[in-house]
Amino acid sequence: MCGIAGFAHTDGTHLDGGADQILRNMARALRPRGPDDMQVHHAGQASMSFTRLALIDPAGGRQPFVSADGQVILAANGEVYNHRELRRELSGTVEFRSGSDCEVLLHLYLQKGLDFLDDVRGMFGIAVIDLREQRVVLARDRLGIKPLFYSVQGPTLLFGSEIKALFEHPRCPRELDWPAALADQSLNAAPVMSDAAPTTWFKGIEHVPTGSLLTIGLRDGRVREHRYWSLPEPVGAERLPERSVIDGLTELLRSSVDECLVADAEIGVLLSGGLDSAGVAALAAHTGTHTFSALTGSTLVNGDARYAQQTARALGLPNHQVALGADRVPAPDEWRQLLWLMETPLCGPEQFYKSEMYRYARAERPLLKAMLLGSGADEFSGGYSVDLAGGGTWDDFLANLGDLARRRALGGAGAVSVWWEGTEAPLLTDEAVHAYAPGALDDVYGAYLGWKFRDMQQYNFWVEDRTASGNGVEARVPFLDHRIVELLARVPRAHRERLFWNKRVVREALAGVLPAEVLARPKLAFYEGDGVRHTHRTFVRMLTRDGFELVEEALSSPGAARYVDADNLRETLRRLRDGRSGAHIELLLRIVNLGLLDRMAADVPVNRAPHGETPYALRAADFDGPEVLGVLEPPRCTGSSVLRLAPGVLVLDDAPGENTSYVAVDGALRYVIDHGTHTDWLRLLRGLDGHRTLGELAAVTGCALDAMRPLLEESLDSGLLEFAREREQEGGTQG
């Protein structure tokens, strides 16, 4: 994990005397990415810096690499996994000066020009200053795992691994793009597939496209794009039988993990309770690697932390349960620092938890410089199929994808969508959709893959890269070997249901690798699902602490003054804090992040490694014991609590004999209560009169208060219930 930054004049003029200081400032902005070394290189009208995290050949792999005649300068952030194979192919024709995996890129470029990445496997962002051809070349790996940004400002080209490096150049614009951000599907979570190019969130700054090279002329400034890779299309069933897909995935994943384990430094594994990271850990287990898991209120309740430890024990690997309890609320300055490290308004609980895990790993294991992850498997192997089916079948999954694809197709003809969604049942067939967007619904699963690919670039890769690099760690993602992605993308349509429903292809591929109980586990969210309220409470506290400090700072930004209803934002947060609203805290947090980033762009802060309370790990011998349960917030609902339905909330019964009741909020049905499975809960709800305590109600209705407590807590968080009062109970009614 390293950092590249540079700039060039594209009108043939040389850099002036102030270029060196600007370049060094750009490099320092990336220092957390490369704490081991910093180099700068000037070449007439172009310059480049490199900050290094040394994983392979620490002594000899200094960058940038320079050709013998000094005319070609190359820097690469990332890893070339098949560098040994490529070195053998070049043997006898070139002389290598280091053992670095990335040096091979220079020699490939000198021999093949713009075709130099055709045979390279890995994750990388690359910059080349080519004085022979009078051009700068910027390139990214096939999937866009490693970042690289650029900006063209008149006759000046700027480029860097992070946006903050570009901000150090005086010609770089520093303005958040509010309209583009608010409309982006990844930020607003609109139920539609997005096919828009990923946004950088800032005006005048662009991503180097994934799987592409950009050439920028040093004489004319012309920008040309050369795409060397795209997601492949599915093939015919006769060309790729089911068994060959499963066996191929097993073989490729073994190969990918082996390649990701190559380093002259310690490597760990981020281990959740799910299937994917367990598979990676199992394939790396022969190294005795340490594993790191998040122990939060959410991961304790949803079982993720317990499953992670069970997996580590089954594999014979050390497991560190990094504890992030209810009292671990980020301080305002701590959040500003993390947000600036991430430089995306999508910064939220996942980024905070992962950054803290990396921070703990580096403190506990100082020689650790890389971490293997299970990221990327879900998107290409059907990991979200069951969730998106809404409790239904594969056909329901496809039908729901069709709804998302239809909304995208009709985006330019929004008024027409009333014929599908403005009536009780669609009044037109999808042939009408084809009249507006021909072919849009021909392969909704293929469209879904493109959408998930876009999501990964906009969110997943950003999360993994920044949370790791900010702590001097390189995140490695074996499931995102492009050969694996190509294999899964090419699966014939006829095989999709069997292989991708509930991620069966991964379960069968790992059948000889993981214990049966791990293979059978359902998909678990990192901190969502059961117990997500514990995470949401933490971030409500963060936004409302110290007099709403972060909120008020965000609202003082120029963009927020134009685009954000400040009074409504404040009131929604107050209602969330007081348990009177079911609003989604993460959407509110994204608005606050936009305002904070707006201010940061105008007054650029120093980029520093994360700091805060020192993370610690628990030896979780008993997940029901007091030490582990200490990560949970003390229950608000006790036997002495007096609750009532919040204003506008009603419990309604269906027709006699239907055995169904409903919870209505402001006249709209929000929840269904099945009498067969939630009879106790229904009795308790009907008894909440604002006078009797929960202990009294539990005794009268025969309900077990401990069993009802999670539903009570969730109902308070969502604003369905509210506290009437608390009073001490006399003997026996305390729950």
Side-chain angles (χ1 to χ4, degrees):
M1 186 69 58
C2 306
I4 301 169
F7 57 97
H9 288 176
T10 59
D11 58 2
T13 62
H14 280 215
L15 304 177
D16 61 27
D20 185 73
Q21 187 58 55
I22 294 172
L23 186 61
R24 291 181 184 277
N25 290 343
M26 295 175 76
R28 291 190 186 99
L30 301 178
R31 196 63 179 175
R33 298 186 71 89
D36 296 332
D37 188 33
M38 185 178 85
Q39 298 293 315
V40 298
H41 190 97
H42 298 282
Q45 66 193 86
S47 64
M48 182 166 17
S49 68
F50 191 79
T51 55
R52 185 184 183 211
L53 178 69
L55 282 107
I56 296 178
D57 190 10
R62 179 170 285 182
Q63 295 192 49
F65 301 110
V66 183
S67 63
D69 62 2
Q71 295 296 293
V72 178
I73 303 98
L74 179 147
N77 160 41
E79 300 293 331
V80 177
Y81 293 131
N82 63 332
H83 69 100
R84 292 190 177 95
E85 172 188 329
L86 295 170
R87 277 175 176 263
R88 286 194 296 269
E89 293 175 1
L90 292 169
S91 178
T93 63
V94 301
E95 180 180 348
F96 287 91
R97 287 174 282 181
S98 76
S100 168
D101 58 302
C102 291
E103 187 187 349
V104 70
L105 297 170
L106 174 65
H107 301 294
L108 288 171
Y109 178 81
L110 293 173
Q111 290 195 3
K112 297 184 177 182
L114 297 182
D115 296 326
F116 77 115
L117 295 177
D118 289 354
D119 299 319
V120 175
R121 290 201 310 274
M123 54 178 189
F124 45 78
I126 301 169
V128 183
I129 298 172
D130 187 346
L131 300 179
R132 298 173 179 177
E133 299 292 335
Q134 284 293 289
R135 66 190 181 195
V136 171
V137 179
L138 304 176
R140 288 176 76 196
D141 61 76
R142 290 166 178 80
L143 299 174
I145 301 170
K146 291 295 105 188
L148 192 58
F149 301 91
Y150 75 100
S151 179
V152 176
Q153 300 299 319
T156 303
L157 165 71
L158 314 173
F159 56 90
S161 296
E162 296 181 15
I163 296 168
K164 57 182 67 69
L166 277 61
F167 281 170
E168 293 296 330
H169 195 287
R171 299 206 62 165
C172 184
R174 299 178 183 175
E175 185 177 358
L176 190 78
D177 193 342
W178 278 86
L182 294 171
D184 194 272
Q185 189 270 337
S186 66
L187 186 126
N188 60 37
V192 61
M193 290 184 185
S194 176
D195 57 358
T199 179
T200 67
W201 311 110
F202 295 94
K203 290 183 178 180
I205 296 174
E206 306 291 339
H207 293 275
V208 174
T210 62
S212 298
L213 300 95
L214 295 182
T215 62
I216 303 94
L218 288 174
R219 290 195 180 98
D220 59 7
R222 183 176 176 183
V223 180
R224 299 173 177 87
E225 180 179 341
H226 167 66
R227 176 164 288 278
Y228 68 92
W229 187 85
S230 299
L231 271 176
E233 297 292 324
V235 299
E238 71 284 352
R239 291 180 54 194
L240 197 57
E242 286 184 4
R243 192 67 242 174
S244 67
V245 176
I246 294 167
D247 292 343
L249 178 56
T250 305
E251 180 182 349
L252 288 175
L253 188 55
R254 287 185 182 277
S255 170
S256 182
V257 170
D258 285 344
E259 291 179 342
C260 287
L261 287 171
V262 176
D264 296 322
E266 183 180 345
I267 298 177
V269 176
L270 278 191
L271 181 64
S272 73
L275 178 67
D276 308 323
S277 62
V280 170
L283 293 170
H286 63 279
T287 67
T289 181
H290 283 243
T291 64
F292 303 85
S293 308
L295 179 59
T296 71
S298 296
T299 64
L300 178 60
V301 172
N302 70 16
D304 187 76
R306 185 192 303 261
Y307 283 147
Q309 187 188 77
Q310 290 174 356
T311 299
R313 284 178 176 170
L315 299 174
L317 297 175
N319 181 237
H320 303 260
Q321 293 273 332
V322 183
L324 296 158
D327 59 346
R328 184 63 179 96
V329 180
D333 188 56
E334 189 179 0
W335 187 254
R336 294 185 192 97
Q337 183 180 325
L338 179 64
L339 179 62
W340 185 237
L341 171 69
M342 299 302 301
E343 57 190 24
T344 168
L346 296 174
C347 187
E350 182 174 5
Q351 288 81 351
F352 174 65
Y353 291 147
K354 286 189 173 178
S355 179
E356 288 297 281
M357 291 170 70
Y358 284 120
R359 193 156 72 93
Y360 167 82
R362 280 308 304 269
E364 178 70 14
R365 311 286 301 172
L367 299 181
L368 186 149
K369 291 188 178 182
M371 196 81 79
L372 270 57
L373 318 175
S375 301
D378 283 324
E379 285 73 11
F380 296 106
S381 66
Y384 302 113
S385 56
V386 173
D387 288 343
L388 289 175
T393 65
W394 176 264
D395 289 339
D396 296 304
F397 169 55
L398 292 183
N400 291 339
L401 293 187
D403 291 341
L404 298 174
R406 188 181 303 112
R407 292 190 189 105
R408 180 182 70 180
L410 296 174
V416 179
S417 64
V418 69
W419 300 111
W420 284 269
E421 299 185 6
T423 57
E424 290 185 3
L427 300 182
L428 299 181
T429 70
D430 281 341
E431 285 302 311
V433 177
H434 291 289
Y436 295 95
L441 303 181
D442 288 351
D443 182 7
V444 295
Y445 186 84
Y448 164 77
L449 282 185
W451 177 39
K452 291 291 100 180
F453 187 29
R454 195 259 185 189
D455 269 0
M456 294 177 76
Q457 297 171 59
Q458 188 70 75
Y459 181 79
N460 302 67
F461 296 154
W462 215 312
V463 170
E464 309 303 0
D465 176 81
R466 301 305 173 78
T467 54
S469 66
N471 291 280
V473 178
E474 179 172 86
R476 295 184 174 182
V477 281
F479 272 101
L480 290 172
D481 185 310
H482 77 269
R483 299 170 300 173
I484 292 176
V485 173
E486 287 175 347
L487 173 69
L488 297 175
R490 291 173 60 236
V491 165
R493 296 190 188 192
H495 301 338
R496 284 174 175 169
E497 180 176 357
R498 170 169 155 72
L499 293 178
F500 294 150
W501 180 246
N502 198 21
K503 225 158 71 171
R504 188 166 186 172
V505 63
V506 177
R507 296 181 193 278
E508 294 199 12
L510 293 174
V513 176
L514 287 171
E517 62 270 19
V518 179
L519 291 171
R521 282 180 193 158
K523 175 176 170 52
L524 292 173
F526 175 40
Y527 63 87
E528 296 177 344
D530 292 341
V532 69
R533 67 184 185 277
H534 295 283
T535 293
H536 287 173
R537 286 179 195 165
T538 293
F539 286 86
V540 169
R541 288 194 188 98
M542 182 188 78
L543 290 182
T544 56
R545 71 182 293 175
D546 299 336
F548 288 51
E549 180 178 327
L550 288 175
V551 175
E552 295 305 324
E553 182 177 333
L555 291 174
S556 70
S557 73
R562 293 182 59 191
Y563 295 108
V564 179
D565 189 314
D567 290 339
N568 283 351
L569 178 62
R570 293 186 187 103
E571 178 58 21
T572 302
L573 278 169
R574 289 190 193 99
R575 290 174 61 82
L576 272 170
R577 178 193 60 192
D578 299 338
R580 296 183 291 119
S581 171
H584 202 303
I585 181 58
E586 292 190 55
L587 280 177
L588 274 67
L589 178 57
R590 291 169 188 176
I591 294 294
V592 173
N593 286 342
L594 283 171
L596 295 173
L597 286 169
D598 196 8
R599 288 178 55 95
M600 291 173 180
D603 186 12
V604 177
V606 174
N607 187 28
R608 296 174 293 160
H611 75 282
E613 299 175 26
T614 303
Y616 65 96
L618 288 177
R619 296 187 180 275
D622 178 7
F623 277 89
D624 297 316
E627 185 178 31
V628 172
L629 292 178
V631 304
L632 296 173
E633 182 181 34
R636 292 174 294 171
C637 298
T638 67
S640 61
S641 302
V642 179
L643 272 64
R644 64 190 171 203
L645 298 178
V649 178
L650 295 173
V651 179
L652 306 173
D653 292 328
D654 209 339
E658 292 295 325
N659 292 319
T660 304
S661 297
Y662 303 91
V663 177
V665 181
D666 296 330
L669 298 182
R670 288 270 299 275
Y671 302 96
V672 179
I673 302 177
D674 181 82
H675 295 184
T677 56
H678 288 91
T679 304
D680 285 356
W681 174 235
L682 183 60
R683 287 204 304 267
L684 193 64
L685 275 183
R686 286 173 172 162
L688 295 175
D689 55 10
H691 300 289
R692 289 180 291 180
T693 67
L694 291 178
E696 291 169 340
L697 283 174
V700 170
T701 61
C703 299
L705 184 54
D706 284 344
M708 294 295 102
R709 190 170 280 121
L711 285 170
L712 289 165
E713 297 277 351
E714 290 174 18
S715 298
L716 283 167
D717 286 337
S718 62
L720 296 177
L721 302 179
E722 63 181 20
F723 285 102
R725 60 190 174 88
E726 297 270 349
R727 67 181 173 86
E728 291 299 323
Q729 286 303 293
E730 297 176 1
T733 59
Q734 187 78 20

